[in-house]
Amino acid sequence: MLRIQNLHADVGGKEILKGLDLVVPAGEVHAVMGPNGAGKSTLSYVLTGRGGYEVTAGSATLDGEDLLALAPDQRAARGVFLSFQYPLEIPGVPALTFIRTALNAQRRARGEPEATAPEFLKLARENAAALKIDFDMLKRALNVGFSGGEKKRMEILQMAMLKPRLLILDETDSGLDIDALKIVSEGVNALRSPDRAMLVITHYQRLLDHIRPDRVHVMADGRIAASGGPELALELEREGYDKYARAA
Ligand code: ADP
Ligand code: MG
């Protein structure tokens, strides 16, 4: 499903990704761990098409299609979704309006009919209830004045409603209390599906205890330095990234 080969990318004239290879088959959840500055966020931005990140070599395909040739909104329409470490506050735009606009833009791009207002509200009510989000909160400006846990819940709500095919979570768990962590991991687990791939960037074994990834990758100095099963995350927790950081 997601296939990254020999990916090189520059940020601000400096090479950050230095020949990264990674394959995430449909139906699988892969964790990416690694020291600060390894290039984990850079990878998520390159895959979603954020400006300022220049790919200098290599490829990234989703179901065989060249992801890097597409504009960010086209990637979103193909089902690429990035959950930010720090969700943005958008004053003046109610959360419901934001999600409805995103959902319908994606449907239009795919040639599907837009959701009518009643259809959309029903979908929003069902998903909010499942995530224990007070529906009135969705009428407020997106994330403005929301607590950390509420913001993360909003991210999960967006994922649940947009039904992405490739889900990237960039340290969605950092700074979360136990309850919010549970919401994030339950939300991720509920989205596990045979036709969806997920990349979970995290520092924390406690998130992986809940999510149980199929594969774990260690990223160091712009490359995947090691890959393994869930036991690799336990080893990292015991021994740290030193070994990989030094080898890189
Ligand atoms: P991680 O998410 O693994 O902690 P990042 O992808 O955020 O790593 O950063 C990788 C490296 O890229 C860091 O050394 C960081 O300083 C550098 N970097 C990030 N953004 C810029 C930028 N705009 N200009 C120059 N260097 C940058
Ligand atoms: Mg980062």
Side-chain angles (χ1 to χ4, degrees):
M1 182 153 176
L2 173 68
R3 178 177 296 271
I4 303 171
Q5 283 175 311
N6 189 35
L7 189 62
H8 291 253
D10 290 359
V11 186
K14 186 174 150 206
E15 183 168 64
I16 304 299
L17 300 185
K18 303 176 181 175
L20 185 135
D21 294 291
L22 181 65
V23 173
V24 187
E28 295 196 0
V29 176
H30 288 205
V32 175
M33 307 180 86
N36 288 327
K40 303 182 299 296
S41 293
T42 299
L43 173 64
S44 66
Y45 293 142
V46 167
L47 291 177
T48 46
R50 181 173 176 160
Y53 293 78
E54 198 198 343
V55 175
T56 55
S59 63
T61 59
L62 184 66
D63 300 323
E65 185 177 24
D66 180 4
L67 214 45
L68 304 176
L70 300 173
D73 60 316
Q74 294 173 315
R75 299 185 202 194
R78 301 297 194 282
V80 180
F81 182 98
L82 170 62
S83 172
F84 294 105
Q85 179 169 355
Y86 302 106
L88 295 177
E89 300 187 359
I90 309 192
V93 180
L96 273 177
T97 308
F98 178 83
I99 301 173
R100 190 173 169 204
T101 304
L103 182 70
N104 281 334
Q106 295 190 8
R107 289 197 177 182
R108 271 197 310 278
R110 291 196 289 255
E112 297 167 6
E114 293 187 14
T116 63
E119 274 167 10
F120 176 77
L121 285 176
K122 181 165 177 281
L123 192 65
R125 276 186 203 285
E126 286 169 0
N127 280 286
L131 287 165
K132 300 189 172 62
I133 294 174
D134 178 4
F135 189 75
D136 282 339
M137 209 171 94
L138 301 182
K139 298 173 183 165
R140 287 164 49 190
L142 183 68
N143 292 330
V144 177
F146 289 14
S147 72
E150 286 169 344
K151 288 181 184 176
K152 301 293 163 151
R153 240 179 284 203
M154 285 301 304
E155 295 283 296
I156 303 294
L157 177 73
Q158 290 168 42
M159 291 193 257
M161 293 189 64
L162 295 174
K163 300 205 176 352
R165 301 211 55 220
L166 171 65
L167 200 64
I168 306 165
L169 292 106
D170 189 1
E171 298 197 32
T172 301
D173 51 336
S174 57
L176 290 191
D177 61 23
I178 302 287
D179 287 342
L181 194 70
K182 215 168 142 227
I183 290 161
V184 169
S185 44
E186 280 172 4
V188 168
N189 287 335
L191 283 166
R192 263 188 188 265
S193 138
D195 57 8
R196 183 170 289 139
M198 300 196 227
L199 208 51
V200 179
I201 299 169
T202 181
H203 281 298
Y204 299 109
Q205 175 57 38
R206 49 178 199 164
L207 180 75
L208 302 182
D209 285 340
H210 294 289
I211 291 183
R212 302 225 218 98
D214 299 287
R215 299 279 291 166
V216 174
H217 308 278
V218 186
M219 192 167 168
D221 196 27
R223 289 187 201 91
I224 300 298
S227 299
E231 72 284 350
L232 179 55
L234 295 169
E235 181 209 299
L236 291 170
E237 188 171 55
R238 275 196 320 271
E239 299 172 16
Y241 299 123
D242 245 28
K243 177 164 114 187
Y244 302 101
R246 257 188 282 119

mmCIF file of all heavy atoms in Angstrom, residues 126-172:
data_model
loop_
_atom_site.group_PDB
_atom_site.id
_atom_site.type_symbol
_atom_site.label_atom_id
_atom_site.label_comp_id
_atom_site.label_asym_id
_atom_site.label_seq_id
_atom_site.Cartn_x
_atom_site.Cartn_y
_atom_site.Cartn_z
ATOM 1 N N GLU A 126 -23.272 10.575 15.559
ATOM 2 C CA GLU A 126 -22.907 9.183 15.862
ATOM 3 C C GLU A 126 -21.436 9.087 16.277
ATOM 4 O O GLU A 126 -21.106 8.451 17.285
ATOM 5 C CB GLU A 126 -23.127 8.289 14.634
ATOM 6 C CG GLU A 126 -24.588 8.002 14.351
ATOM 7 C CD GLU A 126 -24.814 7.339 12.979
ATOM 8 O OE1 GLU A 126 -23.816 7.107 12.232
ATOM 9 O OE2 GLU A 126 -25.983 7.100 12.661
ATOM 10 N N ASN A 127 -20.586 9.736 15.489
ATOM 11 C CA ASN A 127 -19.160 9.646 15.789
ATOM 12 C C ASN A 127 -18.785 10.380 17.067
ATOM 13 O O ASN A 127 -17.940 9.916 17.827
ATOM 14 C CB ASN A 127 -18.340 10.170 14.611
ATOM 15 C CG ASN A 127 -18.211 9.147 13.505
ATOM 16 O OD1 ASN A 127 -17.466 8.185 13.635
ATOM 17 N ND2 ASN A 127 -18.964 9.318 12.437
ATOM 18 N N ALA A 128 -19.410 11.531 17.307
ATOM 19 C CA ALA A 128 -19.141 12.279 18.537
ATOM 20 C C ALA A 128 -19.564 11.459 19.748
ATOM 21 O O ALA A 128 -18.837 11.374 20.746
ATOM 22 C CB ALA A 128 -19.865 13.622 18.508
ATOM 23 N N ALA A 129 -20.721 10.825 19.649
ATOM 24 C CA ALA A 129 -21.211 10.015 20.772
ATOM 25 C C ALA A 129 -20.237 8.878 21.062
ATOM 26 O O ALA A 129 -19.900 8.601 22.219
ATOM 27 C CB ALA A 129 -22.607 9.476 20.465
ATOM 28 N N ALA A 130 -19.735 8.239 19.993
ATOM 29 C CA ALA A 130 -18.812 7.116 20.175
ATOM 30 C C ALA A 130 -17.528 7.568 20.864
ATOM 31 O O ALA A 130 -16.900 6.805 21.594
ATOM 32 C CB ALA A 130 -18.497 6.478 18.833
ATOM 33 N N LEU A 131 -17.142 8.811 20.652
ATOM 34 C CA LEU A 131 -15.897 9.330 21.233
ATOM 35 C C LEU A 131 -16.157 10.146 22.500
ATOM 36 O O LEU A 131 -15.261 10.794 23.029
ATOM 37 C CB LEU A 131 -15.156 10.193 20.209
ATOM 38 C CG LEU A 131 -14.489 9.419 19.083
ATOM 39 C CD1 LEU A 131 -14.115 10.338 17.939
ATOM 40 C CD2 LEU A 131 -13.258 8.689 19.603
ATOM 41 N N LYS A 132 -17.402 10.123 22.967
ATOM 42 C CA LYS A 132 -17.784 10.855 24.178
ATOM 43 C C LYS A 132 -17.461 12.346 24.066
ATOM 44 O O LYS A 132 -16.972 12.975 24.996
ATOM 45 C CB LYS A 132 -17.116 10.252 25.412
ATOM 46 C CG LYS A 132 -17.492 8.792 25.637
ATOM 47 C CD LYS A 132 -16.980 8.302 26.981
ATOM 48 C CE LYS A 132 -17.496 6.916 27.318
ATOM 49 N NZ LYS A 132 -17.068 5.878 26.371
ATOM 50 N N ILE A 133 -17.738 12.900 22.879
ATOM 51 C CA ILE A 133 -17.569 14.334 22.663
ATOM 52 C C ILE A 133 -18.955 14.971 22.758
ATOM 53 O O ILE A 133 -19.891 14.513 22.097
ATOM 54 C CB ILE A 133 -16.968 14.622 21.268
ATOM 55 C CG1 ILE A 133 -15.536 14.093 21.191
ATOM 56 C CG2 ILE A 133 -17.014 16.116 20.947
ATOM 57 C CD1 ILE A 133 -14.915 14.197 19.807
ATOM 58 N N ASP A 134 -19.072 15.999 23.583
ATOM 59 C CA ASP A 134 -20.331 16.728 23.701
ATOM 60 C C ASP A 134 -20.603 17.401 22.346
ATOM 61 O O ASP A 134 -19.769 18.155 21.846
ATOM 62 C CB ASP A 134 -20.189 17.774 24.823
ATOM 63 C CG ASP A 134 -21.452 18.610 24.977
ATOM 64 O OD1 ASP A 134 -22.453 18.326 24.277
ATOM 65 O OD2 ASP A 134 -21.418 19.541 25.794
ATOM 66 N N PHE A 135 -21.762 17.129 21.769
ATOM 67 C CA PHE A 135 -22.035 17.615 20.410
ATOM 68 C C PHE A 135 -21.932 19.141 20.321
ATOM 69 O O PHE A 135 -21.512 19.685 19.297
ATOM 70 C CB PHE A 135 -23.410 17.143 19.931
ATOM 71 C CG PHE A 135 -23.647 17.417 18.477
ATOM 72 C CD1 PHE A 135 -23.025 16.644 17.493
ATOM 73 C CD2 PHE A 135 -24.455 18.461 18.078
ATOM 74 C CE1 PHE A 135 -23.225 16.911 16.148
ATOM 75 C CE2 PHE A 135 -24.659 18.733 16.729
ATOM 76 C CZ PHE A 135 -24.039 17.950 15.762
ATOM 77 N N ASP A 136 -22.292 19.837 21.407
ATOM 78 C CA ASP A 136 -22.239 21.310 21.391
ATOM 79 C C ASP A 136 -20.811 21.820 21.178
ATOM 80 O O ASP A 136 -20.608 22.935 20.675
ATOM 81 C CB ASP A 136 -22.808 21.889 22.687
ATOM 82 C CG ASP A 136 -24.336 21.846 22.663
ATOM 83 O OD1 ASP A 136 -24.907 21.754 21.557
ATOM 84 O OD2 ASP A 136 -24.941 21.888 23.749
ATOM 85 N N MET A 137 -19.830 21.017 21.597
ATOM 86 C CA MET A 137 -18.439 21.417 21.417
ATOM 87 C C MET A 137 -18.100 21.580 19.933
ATOM 88 O O MET A 137 -17.250 22.388 19.559
ATOM 89 C CB MET A 137 -17.538 20.352 22.032
ATOM 90 C CG MET A 137 -16.233 20.875 22.550
ATOM 91 S SD MET A 137 -15.391 19.599 23.479
ATOM 92 C CE MET A 137 -14.360 18.921 22.202
ATOM 93 N N LEU A 138 -18.790 20.827 19.101
ATOM 94 C CA LEU A 138 -18.513 20.867 17.656
ATOM 95 C C LEU A 138 -19.021 22.147 17.015
ATOM 96 O O LEU A 138 -18.718 22.432 15.864
ATOM 97 C CB LEU A 138 -19.152 19.654 16.956
ATOM 98 C CG LEU A 138 -18.680 18.295 17.454
ATOM 99 C CD1 LEU A 138 -19.325 17.172 16.678
ATOM 100 C CD2 LEU A 138 -17.168 18.199 17.346
ATOM 101 N N LYS A 139 -19.817 22.904 17.767
ATOM 102 C CA LYS A 139 -20.317 24.173 17.234
ATOM 103 C C LYS A 139 -19.333 25.302 17.538
ATOM 104 O O LYS A 139 -19.456 26.408 17.028
ATOM 105 C CB LYS A 139 -21.688 24.491 17.826
ATOM 106 C CG LYS A 139 -22.735 23.445 17.453
ATOM 107 C CD LYS A 139 -24.040 23.668 18.184
ATOM 108 C CE LYS A 139 -25.032 22.557 17.846
ATOM 109 N NZ LYS A 139 -26.157 22.525 18.793
ATOM 110 N N ARG A 140 -18.372 25.016 18.422
ATOM 111 C CA ARG A 140 -17.369 26.038 18.769
ATOM 112 C C ARG A 140 -16.246 26.052 17.740
ATOM 113 O O ARG A 140 -16.048 25.090 16.998
ATOM 114 C CB ARG A 140 -16.806 25.741 20.162
ATOM 115 C CG ARG A 140 -17.821 26.066 21.270
ATOM 116 C CD ARG A 140 -17.450 25.421 22.586
ATOM 117 N NE ARG A 140 -16.058 25.640 22.971
ATOM 118 C CZ ARG A 140 -15.470 25.008 23.972
ATOM 119 N NH1 ARG A 140 -16.127 24.122 24.694
ATOM 120 N NH2 ARG A 140 -14.210 25.257 24.250
ATOM 121 N N ALA A 141 -15.486 27.172 17.735
ATOM 122 C CA ALA A 141 -14.356 27.285 16.810
ATOM 123 C C ALA A 141 -13.386 26.126 17.064
ATOM 124 O O ALA A 141 -13.095 25.791 18.214
ATOM 125 C CB ALA A 141 -13.656 28.621 16.989
ATOM 126 N N LEU A 142 -12.870 25.562 15.972
ATOM 127 C CA LEU A 142 -12.048 24.358 16.068
ATOM 128 C C LEU A 142 -10.856 24.545 17.017
ATOM 129 O O LEU A 142 -10.000 25.406 16.787
ATOM 130 C CB LEU A 142 -11.538 23.954 14.679
ATOM 131 C CG LEU A 142 -10.726 22.657 14.642
ATOM 132 C CD1 LEU A 142 -11.599 21.458 14.943
ATOM 133 C CD2 LEU A 142 -10.029 22.489 13.307
ATOM 134 N N ASN A 143 -10.855 23.728 18.052
ATOM 135 C CA ASN A 143 -9.734 23.642 19.006
ATOM 136 C C ASN A 143 -9.500 24.890 19.857
ATOM 137 O O ASN A 143 -8.622 24.869 20.724
ATOM 138 C CB ASN A 143 -8.417 23.288 18.294
ATOM 139 C CG ASN A 143 -8.430 21.862 17.750
ATOM 140 O OD1 ASN A 143 -9.086 21.004 18.331
ATOM 141 N ND2 ASN A 143 -7.740 21.626 16.670
ATOM 142 N N VAL A 144 -10.256 25.976 19.619
ATOM 143 C CA VAL A 144 -10.007 27.203 20.386
ATOM 144 C C VAL A 144 -10.517 27.014 21.810
ATOM 145 O O VAL A 144 -11.702 26.782 22.031
ATOM 146 C CB VAL A 144 -10.682 28.432 19.732
ATOM 147 C CG1 VAL A 144 -10.465 29.675 20.587
ATOM 148 C CG2 VAL A 144 -10.132 28.642 18.329
ATOM 149 N N GLY A 145 -9.578 27.068 22.753
ATOM 150 C CA GLY A 145 -9.946 26.889 24.155
ATOM 151 C C GLY A 145 -10.210 25.440 24.546
ATOM 152 O O GLY A 145 -10.617 25.171 25.668
ATOM 153 N N PHE A 146 -9.954 24.508 23.639
ATOM 154 C CA PHE A 146 -10.130 23.091 23.977
ATOM 155 C C PHE A 146 -8.950 22.643 24.845
ATOM 156 O O PHE A 146 -7.824 23.127 24.669
ATOM 157 C CB PHE A 146 -10.143 22.218 22.719
ATOM 158 C CG PHE A 146 -11.376 22.348 21.852
ATOM 159 C CD1 PHE A 146 -12.269 23.391 22.016
ATOM 160 C CD2 PHE A 146 -11.631 21.414 20.863
ATOM 161 C CE1 PHE A 146 -13.392 23.512 21.211
ATOM 162 C CE2 PHE A 146 -12.751 21.517 20.047
ATOM 163 C CZ PHE A 146 -13.632 22.567 20.219
ATOM 164 N N SER A 147 -9.200 21.709 25.756
ATOM 165 C CA SER A 147 -8.101 21.133 26.535
ATOM 166 C C SER A 147 -7.288 20.216 25.625
ATOM 167 O O SER A 147 -7.729 19.867 24.525
ATOM 168 C CB SER A 147 -8.656 20.331 27.709
ATOM 169 O OG SER A 147 -9.247 19.138 27.228
ATOM 170 N N GLY A 148 -6.095 19.821 26.107
ATOM 171 C CA GLY A 148 -5.244 18.926 25.313
ATOM 172 C C GLY A 148 -5.988 17.653 24.934
ATOM 173 O O GLY A 148 -5.950 17.222 23.783
ATOM 174 N N GLY A 149 -6.685 17.079 25.904
ATOM 175 C CA GLY A 149 -7.416 15.834 25.649
ATOM 176 C C GLY A 149 -8.539 16.045 24.638
ATOM 177 O O GLY A 149 -8.791 15.189 23.782
ATOM 178 N N GLU A 150 -9.214 17.197 24.728
ATOM 179 C CA GLU A 150 -10.314 17.488 23.786
ATOM 180 C C GLU A 150 -9.791 17.647 22.363
ATOM 181 O O GLU A 150 -10.412 17.203 21.402
ATOM 182 C CB GLU A 150 -11.065 18.754 24.225
ATOM 183 C CG GLU A 150 -11.949 18.529 25.439
ATOM 184 C CD GLU A 150 -12.488 19.820 26.056
ATOM 185 O OE1 GLU A 150 -11.958 20.911 25.751
ATOM 186 O OE2 GLU A 150 -13.433 19.732 26.849
ATOM 187 N N LYS A 151 -8.621 18.284 22.237
ATOM 188 C CA LYS A 151 -8.032 18.445 20.901
ATOM 189 C C LYS A 151 -7.713 17.084 20.278
ATOM 190 O O LYS A 151 -7.936 16.859 19.094
ATOM 191 C CB LYS A 151 -6.749 19.280 20.975
ATOM 192 C CG LYS A 151 -7.003 20.758 21.242
ATOM 193 C CD LYS A 151 -5.706 21.538 21.287
ATOM 194 C CE LYS A 151 -5.977 22.983 21.655
ATOM 195 N NZ LYS A 151 -4.747 23.766 21.814
ATOM 196 N N LYS A 152 -7.152 16.186 21.091
ATOM 197 C CA LYS A 152 -6.806 14.865 20.566
ATOM 198 C C LYS A 152 -8.069 14.114 20.164
ATOM 199 O O LYS A 152 -8.101 13.410 19.155
ATOM 200 C CB LYS A 152 -6.036 14.051 21.610
ATOM 201 C CG LYS A 152 -4.762 14.710 22.067
ATOM 202 C CD LYS A 152 -3.719 14.789 20.967
ATOM 203 C CE LYS A 152 -2.665 15.805 21.341
ATOM 204 N NZ LYS A 152 -1.351 15.564 20.795
ATOM 205 N N ARG A 153 -9.118 14.279 20.969
ATOM 206 C CA ARG A 153 -10.375 13.633 20.640
ATOM 207 C C ARG A 153 -10.934 14.165 19.309
ATOM 208 O O ARG A 153 -11.507 13.420 18.521
ATOM 209 C CB ARG A 153 -11.394 13.894 21.764
ATOM 210 C CG ARG A 153 -11.872 12.615 22.380
ATOM 211 C CD ARG A 153 -12.826 12.889 23.479
ATOM 212 N NE ARG A 153 -12.137 13.348 24.678
ATOM 213 C CZ ARG A 153 -12.643 13.236 25.890
ATOM 214 N NH1 ARG A 153 -13.822 12.694 26.059
ATOM 215 N NH2 ARG A 153 -11.983 13.660 26.929
ATOM 216 N N MET A 154 -10.737 15.469 19.080
ATOM 217 C CA MET A 154 -11.178 16.065 17.809
ATOM 218 C C MET A 154 -10.406 15.469 16.631
ATOM 219 O O MET A 154 -10.964 15.263 15.554
ATOM 220 C CB MET A 154 -10.965 17.582 17.819
ATOM 221 C CG MET A 154 -11.954 18.364 18.649
ATOM 222 S SD MET A 154 -13.654 18.117 18.110
ATOM 223 C CE MET A 154 -13.488 18.597 16.422
ATOM 224 N N GLU A 155 -9.113 15.209 16.838
ATOM 225 C CA GLU A 155 -8.311 14.589 15.776
ATOM 226 C C GLU A 155 -8.880 13.216 15.432
ATOM 227 O O GLU A 155 -8.988 12.855 14.264
ATOM 228 C CB GLU A 155 -6.851 14.436 16.217
ATOM 229 C CG GLU A 155 -6.115 15.739 16.442
ATOM 230 C CD GLU A 155 -5.711 16.403 15.151
ATOM 231 O OE1 GLU A 155 -4.908 15.835 14.395
ATOM 232 O OE2 GLU A 155 -6.232 17.504 14.886
ATOM 233 N N ILE A 156 -9.217 12.472 16.489
ATOM 234 C CA ILE A 156 -9.748 11.123 16.263
ATOM 235 C C ILE A 156 -11.121 11.204 15.586
ATOM 236 O O ILE A 156 -11.446 10.406 14.705
ATOM 237 C CB ILE A 156 -9.860 10.342 17.597
ATOM 238 C CG1 ILE A 156 -8.497 10.284 18.297
ATOM 239 C CG2 ILE A 156 -10.412 8.938 17.362
ATOM 240 C CD1 ILE A 156 -7.444 9.493 17.577
ATOM 241 N N LEU A 157 -11.911 12.200 15.972
ATOM 242 C CA LEU A 157 -13.221 12.381 15.333
ATOM 243 C C LEU A 157 -13.050 12.652 13.836
ATOM 244 O O LEU A 157 -13.755 12.091 13.001
ATOM 245 C CB LEU A 157 -13.986 13.539 15.992
ATOM 246 C CG LEU A 157 -15.339 13.866 15.353
ATOM 247 C CD1 LEU A 157 -16.372 12.789 15.693
ATOM 248 C CD2 LEU A 157 -15.868 15.224 15.801
ATOM 249 N N GLN A 158 -12.100 13.518 13.509
ATOM 250 C CA GLN A 158 -11.851 13.819 12.087
ATOM 251 C C GLN A 158 -11.434 12.569 11.334
ATOM 252 O O GLN A 158 -11.900 12.302 10.223
ATOM 253 C CB GLN A 158 -10.773 14.897 11.949
ATOM 254 C CG GLN A 158 -11.238 16.272 12.397
ATOM 255 C CD GLN A 158 -10.070 17.244 12.514
ATOM 256 O OE1 GLN A 158 -9.189 17.266 11.677
ATOM 257 N NE2 GLN A 158 -10.072 18.039 13.558
ATOM 258 N N MET A 159 -10.555 11.777 11.947
ATOM 259 C CA MET A 159 -10.120 10.535 11.299
ATOM 260 C C MET A 159 -11.302 9.608 11.087
ATOM 261 O O MET A 159 -11.454 9.025 10.018
ATOM 262 C CB MET A 159 -9.101 9.812 12.179
ATOM 263 C CG MET A 159 -7.775 10.485 12.298
ATOM 264 S SD MET A 159 -6.647 9.307 13.028
ATOM 265 C CE MET A 159 -6.526 9.857 14.663
ATOM 266 N N ALA A 160 -12.133 9.484 12.132
ATOM 267 C CA ALA A 160 -13.258 8.547 12.055
ATOM 268 C C ALA A 160 -14.232 8.982 10.957
ATOM 269 O O ALA A 160 -14.823 8.149 10.280
ATOM 270 C CB ALA A 160 -13.969 8.467 13.402
ATOM 271 N N MET A 161 -14.379 10.294 10.755
ATOM 272 C CA MET A 161 -15.344 10.770 9.763
ATOM 273 C C MET A 161 -14.773 10.812 8.348
ATOM 274 O O MET A 161 -15.481 10.585 7.391
ATOM 275 C CB MET A 161 -15.886 12.136 10.180
ATOM 276 C CG MET A 161 -16.721 11.989 11.450
ATOM 277 S SD MET A 161 -17.620 13.471 11.884
ATOM 278 C CE MET A 161 -18.721 13.628 10.504
ATOM 279 N N LEU A 162 -13.487 11.099 8.237
ATOM 280 C CA LEU A 162 -12.884 11.197 6.899
ATOM 281 C C LEU A 162 -12.457 9.826 6.368
ATOM 282 O O LEU A 162 -12.204 9.676 5.179
ATOM 283 C CB LEU A 162 -11.683 12.148 6.921
ATOM 284 C CG LEU A 162 -12.017 13.607 7.219
ATOM 285 C CD1 LEU A 162 -10.752 14.440 7.358
ATOM 286 C CD2 LEU A 162 -12.907 14.199 6.135
ATOM 287 N N LYS A 163 -12.360 8.859 7.256
ATOM 288 C CA LYS A 163 -12.006 7.492 6.857
ATOM 289 C C LYS A 163 -10.784 7.444 5.930
ATOM 290 O O LYS A 163 -10.877 6.977 4.781
ATOM 291 C CB LYS A 163 -13.199 6.809 6.173
ATOM 292 C CG LYS A 163 -14.428 6.700 7.064
ATOM 293 C CD LYS A 163 -15.299 5.555 6.622
ATOM 294 C CE LYS A 163 -16.495 5.314 7.512
ATOM 295 N NZ LYS A 163 -16.585 6.067 8.745
ATOM 296 N N PRO A 164 -9.642 7.931 6.396
ATOM 297 C CA PRO A 164 -8.454 7.933 5.545
ATOM 298 C C PRO A 164 -7.974 6.520 5.229
ATOM 299 O O PRO A 164 -8.293 5.574 5.939
ATOM 300 C CB PRO A 164 -7.411 8.663 6.395
ATOM 301 C CG PRO A 164 -7.899 8.546 7.792
ATOM 302 C CD PRO A 164 -9.382 8.445 7.741
ATOM 303 N N ARG A 165 -7.201 6.405 4.145
ATOM 304 C CA ARG A 165 -6.625 5.101 3.784
ATOM 305 C C ARG A 165 -5.234 4.972 4.376
ATOM 306 O O ARG A 165 -4.798 3.893 4.730
ATOM 307 C CB ARG A 165 -6.530 4.963 2.265
ATOM 308 C CG ARG A 165 -7.897 5.088 1.608
ATOM 309 C CD ARG A 165 -7.961 4.273 0.352
ATOM 310 N NE ARG A 165 -7.617 2.897 0.620
ATOM 311 C CZ ARG A 165 -6.871 2.143 -0.182
ATOM 312 N NH1 ARG A 165 -6.395 2.652 -1.291
ATOM 313 N NH2 ARG A 165 -6.604 0.898 0.121
ATOM 314 N N LEU A 166 -4.516 6.112 4.436
ATOM 315 C CA LEU A 166 -3.200 6.114 5.070
ATOM 316 C C LEU A 166 -3.230 7.142 6.189
ATOM 317 O O LEU A 166 -3.425 8.333 5.963
ATOM 318 C CB LEU A 166 -2.114 6.485 4.060
ATOM 319 C CG LEU A 166 -0.729 6.733 4.671
ATOM 320 C CD1 LEU A 166 -0.169 5.455 5.281
ATOM 321 C CD2 LEU A 166 0.231 7.280 3.626
ATOM 322 N N LEU A 167 -3.045 6.641 7.387
ATOM 323 C CA LEU A 167 -3.165 7.471 8.566
ATOM 324 C C LEU A 167 -1.780 7.643 9.183
ATOM 325 O O LEU A 167 -1.100 6.655 9.422
ATOM 326 C CB LEU A 167 -4.050 6.686 9.529
ATOM 327 C CG LEU A 167 -4.734 7.383 10.634
ATOM 328 C CD1 LEU A 167 -5.713 8.341 10.019
ATOM 329 C CD2 LEU A 167 -5.519 6.369 11.448
ATOM 330 N N ILE A 168 -1.364 8.887 9.377
ATOM 331 C CA ILE A 168 -0.067 9.137 10.002
ATOM 332 C C ILE A 168 -0.307 9.899 11.288
ATOM 333 O O ILE A 168 -0.918 10.966 11.273
ATOM 334 C CB ILE A 168 0.841 9.976 9.067
ATOM 335 C CG1 ILE A 168 0.951 9.314 7.684
ATOM 336 C CG2 ILE A 168 2.227 10.156 9.693
ATOM 337 C CD1 ILE A 168 1.519 10.237 6.616
ATOM 338 N N LEU A 169 0.130 9.349 12.393
ATOM 339 C CA LEU A 169 -0.021 10.046 13.671
ATOM 340 C C LEU A 169 1.358 10.460 14.147
ATOM 341 O O LEU A 169 2.198 9.610 14.448
ATOM 342 C CB LEU A 169 -0.664 9.137 14.723
ATOM 343 C CG LEU A 169 -2.117 8.764 14.465
ATOM 344 C CD1 LEU A 169 -2.193 7.327 14.015
ATOM 345 C CD2 LEU A 169 -2.952 8.966 15.695
ATOM 346 N N ASP A 170 1.614 11.780 14.169
ATOM 347 C CA ASP A 170 2.921 12.260 14.603
ATOM 348 C C ASP A 170 2.874 12.620 16.081
ATOM 349 O O ASP A 170 2.436 13.707 16.448
ATOM 350 C CB ASP A 170 3.355 13.468 13.767
ATOM 351 C CG ASP A 170 4.811 13.861 14.046
ATOM 352 O OD1 ASP A 170 5.463 13.189 14.871
ATOM 353 O OD2 ASP A 170 5.282 14.832 13.439
ATOM 354 N N GLU A 171 3.336 11.707 16.892
ATOM 355 C CA GLU A 171 3.377 11.911 18.349
ATOM 356 C C GLU A 171 2.056 12.446 18.889
ATOM 357 O O GLU A 171 2.035 13.348 19.722
ATOM 358 C CB GLU A 171 4.538 12.832 18.730
ATOM 359 C CG GLU A 171 5.872 12.218 18.332
ATOM 360 C CD GLU A 171 7.060 12.853 19.018
ATOM 361 O OE1 GLU A 171 6.909 13.305 20.168
ATOM 362 O OE2 GLU A 171 8.136 12.888 18.414
ATOM 363 N N THR A 172 0.971 11.859 18.386
ATOM 364 C CA THR A 172 -0.356 12.248 18.867
ATOM 365 C C THR A 172 -0.476 12.003 20.368
ATOM 366 O O THR A 172 -1.298 12.607 21.042
ATOM 367 C CB THR A 172 -1.433 11.434 18.109
ATOM 368 O OG1 THR A 172 -1.289 11.719 16.725
ATOM 369 C CG2 THR A 172 -2.837 11.807 18.519
#
